[in-house]
Amino acid sequence: MPPNTVSEGLLSDATRSCIITEDDFQELIKQGNAVFIYESKVYKINSFLMRHPGGEAALRSALGRDVTDEIRTMHPPKVYENMINLYYIGDYIATRKRSVSSVKHKQNADNDKPVLSATWEGGINLKAFDGAIESLHKHHSNDLSTDLILQHNLDYEKTRDAFRRLEAEIRARGLFQCNYWKYAKESCRYILFIFLSLWFTLKGTTTWHYLAGAVFMAMFWHQLVFTAHDAGHNAITGKSEIDHVIGVIIADFIGGLSLGWWKDNHNVHHIVTNHPEHDPDIQHLPFFAITTKFFNNLYSTYYKRVLPFDAASRFFIRHQHHLYYLILSFGRFNLHRLSFVYLFTSRDVRTRKLELIGITCFFIWFGVLLSSLPSWKIRLAYILISYMLTFPLHVQITLSHFGMSTEDKGPQEPFPAKMLRTTMDVDCPEWFDWFHGGLQYQAVHHLFPRLPRHNLRQCVPLVKEFCNEVGLHYYMYNFSTGNGVVLGALKSIADQVSFMNDVAKSNADIWAGRDEPTKKK
């Protein structure tokens, strides 16, 4: 007898093993089923979507395609070796061969390119600043465009095999093991910052004492977020339940922000990085737009609403490269808003009550701390300073993505190619890793989200070797150049808005001129 093939009756519980062709797979999608491919097998997770610990949105972003690498990098082995088998419905047979690039990639091509650095002449003025970031953007944008051509049809299997070898090498070196001594050292820094903050705040006698307390509070929150990030990725103990509680204690009780919201948002970001319609981490209208696609009133699949490109958007985006740091300084206020919206409106919050209790406790202890200050003016200044001086964190978050590609190359693009195309790393001296929390290596982090951040630096040479082998471009700039690249990208979009406004004004003047003779008659 011929092998079983999928049909309309495939989805019955009785049908547990069959052959599923590409056409059959597309038919399952059309029927509204939540299916994906992992290791040439098809899984149907209709009943699991709402129960996914990482959030329903993350799973929905992975449906309808091969997500083998995404699953392996974002989950512990027990998930893809055991638990996933509960949802297996058949073996996938590709009926269309993947195209293979005929382009010859030069080994160590990145090393032959001139170093891109942020410099400008003519003094510190707006014109020189705009010229410098525009020059950086043109250079960087040219590299991105060249890469899109060279990597148009990467050898999918070669890239995946090399990526598996890279993962095996990292694992063999023990870099997936968490170094708890690093957390002990960081904890000393956390304790120092919060001690200094409370000492200046509670024991202070003059205004500058209180403001110094606010500065150290900002430093405390800024640094503590890195450990909350690890907990959100289950990268501390490797046990979801324990790491989730650790994360809630840090994010909600100490920081007043929802860990659940962050995980729901961040997991989607890792799967559809820099996709204008799907990645919430680049959907910041009316304040920022990193691609002209946002001019088209895009529908956000994460927020489930249209992102209007309105008058406010046109104003802010026209000046976004000048307002970038100022707007980011208000980022912590916005995180409170997003946390409350998530906790009160989302239907799949993992520990809603615990998080609400945690955020309530935060506002109680922070409110008591503020009440100890002598006047309402100092209290207001304390809030603004402690909140706004966390802006380096928001710069660090956006720095690795705002200047990178936002193209959608479809489901056939290899996972590591997409991550390296949409993410840049930031180079800095090793002694300065503490400031970035080790997460300045976002490209490496996106390739291996569960890799402890303290080990990311050690993986950089291995990732560079992998890129040279398969013909991918590994983007890394120093901090100032990276900022220039991002600001240049923002300016390029701002210039488009200015051009649109000038055209509209010109057309209005033309029509007004045509109306004059009519009025005279």
Side-chain angles (χ1 to χ4, degrees):
M1 294 180 63
N4 292 330
T5 56
V6 70
S7 65
E8 287 190 34
L10 167 68
L11 299 179
S12 63
D13 292 337
T15 312
R16 296 297 297 170
S17 180
C18 62
I19 301 300
I20 300 178
T21 65
E22 287 190 44
D23 292 335
D24 296 330
F25 186 70
Q26 293 302 318
E27 186 61 31
L28 290 173
I29 296 173
K30 291 178 182 178
Q31 294 173 9
N33 292 288
V35 292
F36 60 77
I37 301 167
Y38 171 76
E39 296 285 18
S40 298
K41 297 181 184 296
V42 178
Y43 298 86
K44 179 169 74 79
I45 56 171
N46 295 15
S47 61
F48 182 67
L49 278 173
M50 292 285 293
R51 297 183 287 114
H52 181 230
E56 179 183 352
L59 268 187
R60 289 200 177 278
S61 299
L63 298 178
R65 57 192 176 94
D66 188 326
V67 287
T68 299
D69 292 323
E70 288 89 334
I71 289 175
R72 288 180 61 89
T73 58
M74 296 188 70
H75 297 85
K78 70 175 184 179
V79 171
Y80 53 79
E81 290 177 359
N82 300 314
M83 295 174 62
I84 197 173
N85 295 327
L86 297 172
Y87 305 96
Y88 164 77
I89 60 172
D91 294 334
Y92 180 73
I93 301 296
T95 54
R96 305 180 186 90
K97 292 186 177 180
R98 300 181 188 273
S99 56
V100 178
S101 174
S102 58
V103 178
K104 299 288 186 179
H105 297 289
K106 183 180 179 182
Q107 296 295 311
N108 300 313
D110 292 348
N111 296 331
D112 297 333
K113 296 182 178 180
V115 176
L116 183 61
S117 60
T119 59
W120 65 80
E121 299 177 355
I124 301 177
N125 58 68
L126 198 60
K127 185 177 180 180
F129 171 80
D130 285 352
I133 62 175
E134 186 173 9
S135 175
L136 287 171
H137 170 69
K138 287 181 178 178
H139 186 127
H140 176 71
S141 181
N142 182 64
D143 283 349
L144 289 174
S145 299
T146 302
D147 290 341
L148 283 176
I149 297 172
L150 293 177
Q151 300 169 15
H152 179 62
N153 285 317
L154 282 175
D155 189 324
Y156 189 96
E157 296 304 327
K158 176 184 176 182
T159 303
R160 172 170 285 183
D161 290 344
F163 187 59
R164 291 287 179 86
R165 292 197 301 274
L166 172 62
E167 179 187 10
E169 175 67 18
I170 292 174
R171 197 173 296 279
R173 296 190 182 199
L175 297 178
F176 276 98
Q177 299 299 316
C178 183
N179 186 338
Y180 293 107
W181 173 243
K182 298 284 188 180
Y183 281 113
K185 292 173 64 177
E186 286 186 343
S187 295
C188 294
R189 184 161 60 248
Y190 301 158
I191 292 171
L192 174 63
F193 287 155
I194 190 61
F195 171 80
L196 290 174
S197 175
L198 295 178
W199 190 84
F200 276 111
T201 304
L202 299 175
K203 300 292 185 179
T205 56
T206 63
T207 299
W208 78 264
H209 289 162
Y210 305 127
L211 300 187
V215 171
F216 283 113
M217 183 64 75
M219 296 172 68
F220 173 64
W221 282 334
H222 171 263
Q223 288 291 298
L224 201 59
V225 163
F226 298 130
T227 300
H229 173 275
D230 297 345
H233 278 294
N234 301 326
I236 298 178
T237 69
K239 298 179 179 179
S240 176
E241 297 79 6
I242 298 176
D243 283 351
H244 182 77
V245 172
I246 293 174
V248 168
I249 292 172
I250 295 172
D252 296 71
F253 283 81
I254 300 177
L257 308 175
S258 169
L259 182 77
W261 162 79
W262 181 85
K263 291 176 69 173
D264 188 71
N265 177 290
H266 196 67
N267 288 338
V268 174
H269 163 69
H270 267 276
I271 296 171
V272 288
T273 308
N274 267 27
H275 194 297
E277 296 178 15
H278 305 310
D279 183 1
D281 269 17
I282 63 169
Q283 296 174 345
H284 298 297
L285 287 179
F287 301 109
F288 297 123
I290 66 171
T291 171
T292 55
K293 294 174 184 176
F294 284 109
F295 297 175
N296 300 321
N297 297 312
L298 282 185
Y299 179 81
S300 167
T301 58
Y302 180 80
Y303 292 111
K304 295 181 174 58
R305 61 178 176 84
V306 171
L307 304 175
F309 185 69
D310 51 20
S313 299
R314 285 190 289 273
F315 170 78
F316 282 111
I317 293 170
R318 188 178 182 181
H319 306 284
Q320 62 180 353
H321 53 300
H322 295 147
L323 298 175
Y324 175 66
Y325 298 108
L326 176 63
I327 292 174
L328 289 184
S329 67
F330 290 91
R332 182 170 169 79
F333 294 101
N334 186 49
L335 295 183
H336 279 312
R337 181 187 68 84
L338 292 170
S339 295
F340 283 121
V341 170
Y342 173 77
L343 291 174
F344 286 117
T345 64
S346 182
R347 60 181 181 176
D348 57 342
V349 180
R350 184 174 180 180
T351 53
R352 191 191 310 270
K353 290 183 179 179
L354 179 62
E355 292 210 59
L356 287 173
I357 291 172
I359 292 179
T360 301
C361 288
F362 164 79
F363 282 108
I364 290 174
W365 76 255
F366 191 59
V368 171
L369 186 66
L370 291 174
S371 68
S372 68
L373 298 173
S375 69
W376 67 268
K377 290 183 178 180
I378 292 179
R379 294 185 190 112
L380 179 60
Y382 193 98
I383 293 173
L384 291 175
I385 291 174
S386 63
Y387 272 54
M388 296 178 73
L389 286 188
T390 61
F391 86 93
L393 174 66
H394 305 286
V395 173
Q396 291 162 329
I397 291 171
T398 58
L399 184 60
S400 293
H401 299 293
F402 270 26
M404 300 301 290
S405 172
T406 58
E407 297 295 321
D408 179 11
K409 297 186 68 176
Q412 301 302 319
E413 182 180 21
F415 169 76
K418 179 171 67 175
M419 294 300 105
L420 291 165
R421 176 175 59 82
T422 58
T423 313
M424 78 163 74
D425 277 353
V426 177
D427 193 19
C428 74
E430 187 171 358
W431 63 266
F432 203 54
D433 280 358
W434 71 270
F435 178 74
H436 297 284
L439 284 172
Q440 70 271 28
Y441 300 111
Q442 278 290 299
V444 181
H445 171 62
H446 271 253
L447 291 174
F448 303 103
R450 291 174 54 79
L451 189 70
R453 60 184 164 87
H454 305 110
N455 298 335
L456 293 177
R457 175 181 285 274
Q458 299 175 61
C459 296
V460 169
L462 301 177
V463 172
K464 287 182 177 179
E465 291 178 9
F466 161 76
C467 290
N468 289 333
E469 177 184 352
V470 300
L472 294 174
H473 189 157
Y474 176 65
Y475 288 88
M476 177 186 284
Y477 302 124
N478 62 40
F479 188 69
S480 61
T481 301
N483 275 264
V485 167
V486 168
L487 292 170
L490 294 176
K491 182 180 183 299
S492 70
I493 304 302
D495 290 344
Q496 293 295 315
V497 177
S498 297
F499 177 74
M500 290 166 55
N501 289 345
D502 291 343
V503 170
K505 182 179 179 181
S506 177
N507 289 338
D509 291 341
I510 291 173
W511 283 104
R514 287 182 179 178
D515 286 342
E516 286 301 321
T518 304
K519 291 178 181 178
K520 290 179 180 180
K521 290 180 180 179

